[in-house]
Amino acid sequence: MALYNLSAEQSVLGAILIDAKSMLVANQLNLSVYDFFHPQHQIIYNCMQKMYENGEKIDPVTISDELRNHDLLDKAGGVVYFKDLVTAVPSVSNVDYYAKIVKDFSMKRSGHEMLTSTSKNIKSMDKKSLITFSEDFKSMVLDNSNAEDLVVNASKVTTNVQRGGILTGFDGIDALLGGGMNFTTLTVLTGRPGAGKSTFLNQIIANALSQGFNAFLYSGELTYEMSMDWFTKTVANPQHLLRCTSTMGNYTEVSEEGIEMIKKWIDEKLFFFSKEAKADEANISHAIEYLATKKNVKLFILDNLMTLDFSGADKNEKQIHVVKSLKRLAKKYKIVIVLVAHSNKNSLTYKEPHVFEISGASEIANLADYVLKASREGKEPETEIIILKNRMTGSIRYKAKLTFDTPRKRFFTKTGNELKKDFGYMPSYEQASFD
């Protein structure tokens, strides 16, 4: 089947010849010279564009004269062809429909060319190349979208703002954030190494699962085994925690029964990023899109920014690009993304915690919806979570003091409720009736 529509191309050109205002409609739809399939139509439309930009009148006589001056009249079909174009137009008022048809076929031709080219080399393409191709194909479709698709009538937008999202499990923090970390948002968690960021995030993951939200973790520093060991200890209820002793001292393990229950609980609910995959923007974005659409994952933890692969580009520019991409994905799929970024060396010089002490590009803080800082001073097992930015409610400078419980591998506040939390991995049984 031919990937063009001759009548639609002729109708667009004919409408412009009858009423030059039709050129404005074509421009609003981002119609370009190369959207036309026939070379003579490309010549005519190119001439029309230049005359329109110069404020010149467009009709069969003026455009014939302009093309003749550039020795292009014969290639465009001659004077007779312009008469045919004018008579070919069913209705000038429908020029936007004709232009959309031309645009649609142009996009399909581009897609066909990309697919044809790729099919010739598909045997030699690896997974990364296929992902890159899919991103390029998507960009081509978006680049060929109509101007009409780029705007939304404000009167059609609902005023019912979605509130709430993923609760952290710490009541004071959740209240200040406006009901937890709202869906569609990007949170940046910063702090110096050893401040307790990973422990804090572990509890957020566990709390999300207890709420019925699936989760994803990318850890650039921990192995699968280390991540699972810490997670099971955080989640385990007291009856599944075993106190053990070795030459190194006392430590806690989770019983085999507890581990099996937890594994069954997180099956198809908690996902790790593959250690076999390169942790670059393309793979991370692809994993997020896959999990958001196919596995209904709502919480994505990326720990941390500095371990992502930024090779082949200016580091700061690449970081900004990655963070923008993450924010776009959060909005598109209505998910929560938490990105860990260490504090920079200058953070110690600030008298008060500041959003721009994040290591990396300064724009990261501007792009984030929330910026939280984990801070630990001295030898006491206490961590402060400080809200440095809160786009949702505006409440900032709030500090939550968290104490670390070594056996439970949990943070808890003054109320101690976090230590009593049952995340719900144990099966519940209903009492049988003897009636």
Side-chain angles (χ1 to χ4, degrees):
M1 183 179 72
L3 293 178
Y4 64 88
N5 187 309
L6 177 62
S7 296
E9 292 189 9
Q10 290 176 327
S11 296
V12 170
L13 299 175
I16 296 171
L17 289 172
I18 295 171
D19 184 356
K21 291 180 181 178
S22 297
M23 178 59 79
L24 178 61
V25 176
N27 287 339
Q28 289 173 339
L29 294 171
N30 292 329
L31 193 66
S32 74
V33 171
Y34 300 105
D35 287 328
F36 291 86
F37 176 77
H38 293 274
Q40 67 190 96
H41 293 165
Q42 293 179 3
I43 293 172
I44 295 170
Y45 190 71
N46 185 52
C47 184
M48 287 177 167
Q49 279 190 320
K50 291 180 179 179
M51 292 176 69
Y52 184 80
E53 291 170 0
N54 294 330
E56 300 174 16
K57 300 292 184 181
I58 302 175
D59 59 39
V61 175
T62 58
I63 195 168
S64 296
D65 188 60
E66 182 68 18
L67 289 169
R68 186 181 291 109
N69 291 336
H70 291 84
D71 295 324
L72 293 172
L73 184 58
D74 290 338
K75 290 183 178 179
V79 176
V80 176
Y81 191 60
F82 290 112
K83 294 180 181 179
D84 294 337
L85 291 176
V86 171
T87 58
V89 184
S91 173
V92 174
S93 62
N94 290 335
V95 64
D96 56 333
Y97 294 103
Y98 310 143
K100 287 178 180 178
I101 293 172
V102 173
K103 193 78 179 175
D104 185 59
F105 272 109
S106 174
M107 180 180 66
K108 290 176 180 178
R109 288 196 302 274
S110 296
H112 183 265
E113 290 174 7
M114 292 179 68
L115 291 171
T116 301
S117 175
T118 302
S119 64
K120 293 178 181 178
N121 305 310
I122 196 165
K123 286 186 177 180
S124 61
M125 292 175 70
D126 56 15
K127 183 179 178 181
K128 175 65 181 298
S129 299
L130 289 171
I131 292 174
T132 300
F133 166 74
S134 68
E135 292 297 321
D136 290 342
F137 194 90
K138 184 193 304 180
S139 296
M140 181 277 296
V141 175
L142 293 175
D143 289 342
N144 282 279
S145 62
N146 299 323
E148 186 179 284
D149 299 328
L150 304 178
V151 296
V152 174
N153 185 342
S155 68
K156 305 298 183 183
V157 178
T158 178
T159 56
N160 296 323
V161 179
Q162 185 178 19
R163 301 294 183 186
I166 306 293
L167 297 173
T168 66
F170 300 94
D171 294 342
I173 296 176
D174 290 328
L176 267 293
L177 295 181
M181 296 176 292
N182 280 240
F183 293 116
T184 76
T185 59
L186 171 67
T187 297
V188 174
L189 175 63
T190 189
R192 300 184 68 79
K197 298 186 295 298
S198 296
T199 301
F200 180 59
L201 292 174
N202 228 13
Q203 279 179 254
I204 293 177
I205 293 174
N207 203 61
L209 293 174
S210 73
Q211 296 175 70
F213 298 119
N214 296 348
F216 164 81
L217 172 65
Y218 158 72
S219 176
E221 298 170 350
L222 300 180
T223 63
Y224 301 140
E225 292 77 14
M226 293 169 67
S227 295
M228 272 300 296
D229 179 66
W230 195 274
F231 179 78
T232 53
K233 288 175 181 175
T234 298
V235 171
N237 291 329
Q239 60 265 47
H240 290 138
L241 288 174
L242 308 176
R243 300 295 178 92
C244 305
T245 303
S246 71
T247 55
M248 302 296 291
N250 298 325
Y251 63 96
T252 304
E253 290 288 354
V254 181
S255 68
E256 290 186 9
E257 180 187 49
I259 290 174
E260 288 305 311
M261 285 185 176
I262 293 171
K263 284 186 174 182
K264 187 174 181 179
W265 178 57
I266 64 173
D267 185 32
E268 290 295 307
K269 295 178 183 177
L270 178 60
F271 301 87
F272 292 155
F273 185 73
S274 172
K275 299 297 182 183
E276 304 300 319
K278 185 178 181 181
D280 58 12
E281 182 201 351
N283 283 342
I284 291 291
S285 296
H286 190 61
I288 291 174
E289 290 189 291
Y290 166 73
L291 291 173
T293 57
K294 301 298 184 182
K295 300 294 183 179
N296 197 32
V297 173
K298 288 294 184 181
L299 174 64
F300 293 83
I301 305 289
L302 307 179
D303 185 8
N304 67 62
L305 177 65
M306 301 310 294
T307 60
L308 295 177
D309 195 309
F310 298 121
S311 59
D314 176 82
K315 196 169 187 178
N316 279 5
E317 289 184 5
K318 188 66 174 176
Q319 286 180 348
I320 296 170
H321 185 73
V322 168
V323 176
K324 284 183 177 179
S325 177
L326 293 176
K327 187 163 183 177
R328 177 182 61 81
L329 291 170
K331 288 183 177 180
K332 181 177 180 180
Y333 295 109
K334 295 180 174 60
I335 56 179
V336 172
I337 298 179
V338 181
L339 175 65
V340 176
H342 290 319
S343 298
N344 58 36
K345 295 179 181 178
N346 297 326
S347 63
L348 295 176
T349 65
Y350 291 112
K351 293 182 179 179
E352 293 290 334
H354 198 280
V355 291
F356 295 113
E357 61 184 79
I358 298 171
S359 180
S362 60
E363 287 86 347
I364 294 173
N366 292 328
L367 292 167
D369 297 293
Y370 305 106
V371 177
L372 309 181
K373 179 182 179 180
S375 177
R376 177 178 293 171
E377 304 294 338
K379 297 181 179 180
E380 293 297 322
E382 291 185 344
T383 290
E384 280 189 334
I385 300 296
I386 309 166
I387 300 176
L388 300 180
K389 181 179 180 181
N390 183 356
R391 201 188 297 275
M392 299 301 117
T393 68
S395 301
I396 60 172
R397 301 298 178 188
Y398 170 83
K399 297 181 180 180
K401 184 173 289 187
L402 310 179
T403 303
F404 182 66
D405 183 82
T406 302
R408 302 299 304 277
K409 292 292 185 289
R410 294 186 188 183
F411 279 132
F412 64 94
T413 58
K414 187 163 51 178
T415 63
N417 290 334
E418 295 79 13
L419 293 180
K420 304 171 186 176
K421 173 77 175 181
D422 182 347
F423 291 109
Y425 70 87
M426 296 176 64
S428 58
Y429 302 98
E430 294 184 3
Q431 179 67 46
S433 173
F434 292 96
D435 295 337

